[in-house]
Structures are given as structure tokens and as C-alpha cells.
């Protein structure tokens, strides 16, 4: 799964490669751009149709690292290139997704963990990009630089944050936005916010608790009102943070609007 430092030595640099002629554009982003390797960083993805020509374009509905045609590439601080190893793998599907100028496709994916542990093993500058096989050619995203903060100094807040976020129940909840019936993942994340209230990852924690509470609400009729209220509370707090990201802000606001109408 590792192309090695010299694996792509004879391939032209990314900047020299032309964009796809049919007008599809793939963009990635994340907030913040500096973080520790154990923080729950999400990669925002947008696939849109630009320019004139075709009013829409159909692509395989496989925009996920679990599919073979979707590749998240990482170049680390030593200039070694790696393929992100998804913890889940899916068979190809026959379903297609329509992309139009007024209806782009947006989603986020967790990139802090992969099969075998943390995604980022070294401190320093890393470059991320996506290659997606549309069936008509390979579509490449922009390149995104992120910085993995070193941990070679004493930092009590950092160690407190690591202590909570590295617990299996919390890490699972952050990655999948789901919790087990004992709700231990949500409890650990709530304890984390109380213990380290000024953490830079508080926005993602509040958002995760909100989304996970909503998922619990859908499965638990008896406790639906309580879970919906918790979801509203944490999603509203998450919206106050600038580092939440555009996609999650829009998603949080849509959930809040829906729950406010039905409550």
C-alpha cells in the first residue's frame, strides 16, 4: 500500500497534468490545517460541474475511500507517498450519481484514523489529494497541505486531550458518529469537553455528539425526545466555532431547522 519515495519518479508533476475536459472539478479542504495526529480531523470533499457544455454528468456512486476507484494519497514530511488505507472496503456498485451545476456533491470523511492505527505517523508537513476514477478518466483534486504538530515538549493540555480521544469508545464514536447502547462514547467525549474546554477540536466533538445523539434517537423511540434535545444543544454550540467546516455547518443547521420544526 506504499508507493515508496521513488514510486512515481517518472510521472509528470501534478501541476503539469491537465484538468478533465468535461468540466468536473474535485476540491478538498479541512479545518484546522494544524493538528496533532490523534485529533478527529475531517476532510471536506466537493465534486461539482463547472463551465458550459453538459448540464449534468453521471459518475459511479463510489466517492469513499472504501472503494477501489477512490484513492486518498498522502505525501509525508519525508516526501514518501502513501495510499490511505480505509478500515472498511466495499464492492463496486452499479448505482450512479448525477452531478449538476446547481447540485454539486458534498461530504466529509474522517482521515485521522486508518486501518492499523493513526493515519499520520510523522510530525511535519503533509500533502493530501484525491484521485477518483470516473470511468472516463482519473479526476484529481487540488493538493492540500496540512501540518502535524510535533509532540516533543511537555504539554498537559495535549496529554489530557490524547487521554480522552485515544480511548476506543471515543475514537469509534468520532470516526463513525455512532455509539454502542451503553453510550460510553458520548460520555467520554462529554467528559473531554469538560476537562479541556478550550481544545481546538471542541467543534468536532460537539458536532459528533450531536450527530450521534440523532442516530440514537432514530433507534430509540422511548428516548427520542431526550436524544433530540441533546442533538440540538450540541449542534448549536458546534455552529459557534469557525473551524467546524462549511459542509458540517450546513448539515448542522439543516438538522437544527428540522428538529426545531418537529419538536
Amino acid at each position: 500500500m506504499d508507493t515508496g519515495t521513488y514510486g512515481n519518479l517518472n510521472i509528470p508533476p501534478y501541476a503539469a497534468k491537465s484538468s478533465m475536459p468535461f468540466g468536473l472539478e474535485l476540491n478538498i479542504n479541512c479545518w484546522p490545517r494544524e493538528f496533532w495526529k490523534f485529533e478527529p480531523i475531517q476532510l471536506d470533499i466537493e465534486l461539482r460541474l463547472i463551465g458550459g457544455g453538459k448540464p449534468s454528468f453521471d459518475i459511479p456512486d463510489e466517492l469513499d475511500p472504501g472503494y477501489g476507484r477512490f484513492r486518498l494519497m498522502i505525501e509525508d514530511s519525508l516526501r514518501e507517498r502513501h495510499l490511505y488505507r480505509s478500515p472498511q472496503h466495499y464492492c463496486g456498485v452499479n448505482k450512479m450519481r448525477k452531478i449538476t451545476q446547481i447540485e454539486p456533491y458534498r461530504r466529509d470523511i474522517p482521515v485521522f484514523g486508518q486501518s492499523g492505527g493513526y493515519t499520520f505517523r510523522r510530525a511535519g508537513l503533509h500533502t493530501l489529494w484525491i484521485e477518483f476514477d470516473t470511468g472516463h478518466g482519473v479526476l484529481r483534486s487540488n493538493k492540500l497541505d496540512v501540518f502535524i504538530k510535533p509532540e516533543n515538549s511537555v504539554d498537559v493540555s495535549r496529554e489530557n486531550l490524547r487521554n480522552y480521544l485515544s480511548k476506543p469508545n471515543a475514537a469509534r464514536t468520532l470516526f463513525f458518529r455512532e455509539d454502542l447502547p451503553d453510550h460510553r462514547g458520548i460520555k467520554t467525549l462529554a467528559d473531554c469537553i469538560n476537562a479541556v474546554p478550550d481544545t481546538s477540536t471542541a467543534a468536532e466533538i460537539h458536532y459528533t455528539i450531536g450527530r450521534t445523539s440523532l442516530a440514537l434517537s432514530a433507534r430509540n423511540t422511548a428516548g427520542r425526545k431526550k436524544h433530540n434535545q441533546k442533538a440540538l444543544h450540541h449542534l448549536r454550540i458546534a455552529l459557534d466555532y469557525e473551524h467546524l467546516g462549511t459542509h458540517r455547518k450546513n448539515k448542522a443547521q439543516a438538522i437544527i431547522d428540522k428538529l426545531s420544526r418537529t419538536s
Side-chain angles (χ1 to χ4, degrees), residues 62-70 84 86-91 107:
E62 300 180 17
L63 284 158
D64 188 279
Y67 292 105
R69 66 172 70 243
F70 183 105
Y84 172 82
S86 175
Q88 296 177 312
H89 296 278
Y90 311 112
C91 296
R107 67 162 298 181

Side-chain angles (χ1 to χ4, degrees), residues 17-255:
K17 296 180 181 179
S18 59
S19 59
M20 298 301 285
F22 42 74
L24 280 178
E25 183 177 73
L26 183 60
N27 293 310
I28 61 173
N29 209 340
C30 76
W31 294 270
R33 299 281 183 84
E34 282 190 14
F35 47 86
W36 286 302
K37 65 182 182 182
F38 54 83
E39 292 189 88
I41 295 301
Q42 306 283 330
L43 190 67
D44 281 356
I45 299 173
E46 180 185 59
L47 180 60
R48 61 176 183 162
L49 189 60
I50 60 172
K54 299 183 66 171
S56 65
F57 203 90
D58 292 328
I59 63 165
D61 193 11
E62 300 180 17
L63 284 158
D64 188 279
Y67 292 105
R69 66 172 70 243
F70 183 105
R71 298 180 292 277
L72 171 57
M73 304 301 300
I74 303 171
E75 185 174 274
D76 65 21
S77 55
L78 297 181
R79 310 291 289 178
E80 294 181 352
R81 292 185 176 184
H82 310 269
L83 174 66
Y84 172 82
R85 302 189 300 274
S86 175
Q88 296 177 312
H89 296 278
Y90 311 112
C91 296
V93 297
N94 295 322
K95 183 180 178 182
M96 304 296 285
R97 178 178 291 275
K98 187 179 293 294
I99 307 297
T100 68
Q101 288 186 340
I102 61 173
E103 291 185 346
Y105 176 71
R106 298 185 180 96
R107 67 162 298 181
D108 54 22
I109 57 174
V111 295
F112 60 97
Q114 63 177 351
S115 178
Y118 290 123
T119 301
F120 305 102
R121 303 298 180 91
R122 296 188 177 107
L125 186 68
H126 289 62
T127 302
L128 284 62
W129 71 94
I130 289 172
E131 298 175 353
F132 181 67
D133 183 1
T134 66
H136 301 272
V138 177
L139 182 64
R140 294 177 178 85
S141 74
N142 59 301
K143 287 193 170 183
L144 180 71
D145 289 336
V146 298
F147 185 80
I148 313 305
K149 296 191 288 188
E151 302 179 41
N152 51 9
S153 62
V154 177
D155 189 321
V156 175
S157 295
R158 181 193 68 216
E159 293 308 311
N160 283 338
L161 186 62
R162 183 208 298 276
N163 179 53
Y164 286 103
L165 299 186
S166 62
K167 291 182 178 179
N169 52 34
R172 174 186 172 85
T173 302
L174 287 166
F175 196 91
F176 295 106
R177 292 172 186 156
E178 293 182 352
D179 201 358
L180 298 176
D182 58 12
H183 303 174
R184 291 179 63 186
I186 288 180
K187 184 180 184 305
T188 300
L189 293 177
D191 290 343
C192 177
I193 294 174
N194 292 331
V196 196
D198 297 326
T199 172
S200 61
T201 197
E204 192 61 41
I205 295 175
H206 280 293
Y207 181 79
T208 297
I209 294 177
R211 290 291 305 274
T212 306
S213 298
L214 191 66
L216 291 172
S217 170
R219 300 199 304 265
N220 186 355
T221 304
R224 180 164 296 168
K225 184 176 181 179
K226 179 185 69 174
H227 292 312
N228 284 348
Q229 289 175 342
K230 179 175 286 189
L232 277 171
H233 172 72
H234 285 281
L235 291 175
R236 283 169 175 158
I237 295 176
L239 284 177
D240 292 334
Y241 290 87
E242 62 176 330
H243 293 313
L244 184 60
T246 304
H247 172 72
R248 287 184 295 290
K249 282 186 176 180
N250 292 338
K251 187 75 173 180
Q253 189 61 62
I255 294 171

